[in-house]
Amino acid sequence: MQLHETTLLPGQMPHPAHHHVHTEFMLIRAGTVTFILAGRSEQIGPGGVAYAASGELHGLKNNGAVPANYFVLAIGSDPKPA
């Protein structure tokens, strides 16, 4: 299990939409983000939670006017590169 906190400036994405073996919960603390999952998107604000299962294409973007702050809880592990 891993946990990290991210602050995302307005208009920014941490990286392009992606997928991986582990599952993730994204817990929004401040601001508003667009959560992208398998080609659909949803606005999530403070207190909201997003979930991406293993293998699901997902991403986040701050479409708000203020920095967004959120926690990512990753459960499981990805294979180590060879």
Side-chain angles (χ1 to χ4, degrees):
M1 191 180 316
Q2 295 181 0
L3 176 68
H4 70 268
E5 180 179 10
T6 299
T7 298
L8 197 56
L9 297 176
Q12 299 295 305
M13 293 179 79
H15 40 69
H18 63 287
H19 63 280
H20 35 67
V21 175
H22 65 265
T23 60
E24 287 184 339
F25 289 90
M26 282 121 314
L27 304 107
I28 312 307
R29 189 175 133 196
T32 302
V33 298
T34 299
F35 175 60
I36 303 142
L37 181 67
R40 296 178 306 180
S41 62
E42 178 180 348
Q43 295 292 110
I44 303 173
V49 177
Y51 172 77
S54 174
E56 288 187 309
L57 184 64
H58 65 281
L60 285 177
K61 182 173 185 180
N62 180 351
N63 284 324
V66 299
N69 183 260
Y70 61 94
F71 298 93
V72 176
L73 176 60
I75 301 172
S77 61
D78 290 327
K80 293 192 184 336

